Amino acid sequence: MSKVSYYTAEGLKKLRDELNQLKDIERPKASQAIAEARDKGDLSENAEYDAAKDAQGLLELRISKLEETLANARLIDESQLDTSKVLIHSTVKIKNQTNGAQMTYKLVAQSEADLKTGKISVDSPIGKGLLGKSVGEVAEIEVPNGIMKFDVVEISRE
């Protein structure tokens, strides 16, 4: 059983665009590569044919996974989010109790996560540790070298 994931309109559009790219452009290219390799002779000793078939298999797997993700995707209305506690699509400002460093993260679905833009997965250790917390609470997050404590400073839906 697949789990439901929540996405922004932007995140869903990216998934749909990728799926369309794979189906409309990459799939015909893979079929063409197989046809060209097949025309080169004996299939039992044709490494190019085997490589093309393998590439096609990986492509079809990716298409299948994207279709499944989209089937279980739900669009979230960010204007309706509760900002009293950390939820998916919350933007959270946290402060590291050890060194005083402040960070701001937006909690998103796994496929939308991008640390460079401050988007972390709700399935990541920090994401899991922050879910359900309110402003003023301490999130204790287990990391490989122990437990880090973060103060939840602010929750918004930017």
Side-chain angles (χ1 to χ4, degrees), residues 86 94 105 107 110 120-131 133 139-144 146-148 150:
V86 179
I94 57 176
Y105 295 117
L107 274 66
Q110 179 95 27
I120 61 169
S121 169
V122 291
D123 297 324
S124 69
I126 292 176
K128 285 179 183 174
L130 290 173
L131 282 175
K133 298 288 188 239
E140 294 186 2
I141 298 165
E142 194 169 329
V143 293
I147 293 192
M148 293 182 72
F150 295 96

Side-chain angles (χ1 to χ4, degrees), residues 83-108:
T83 56
S84 67
K85 61 183 176 214
V86 179
L87 303 169
I88 187 166
H89 290 273
S90 294
T91 298
V92 188
K93 183 185 281 186
I94 57 176
K95 180 180 176 185
N96 186 325
Q97 286 187 348
T98 307
N99 62 15
Q102 287 199 1
M103 298 152 278
T104 302
Y105 295 117
K106 180 169 184 164
L107 274 66
V108 296

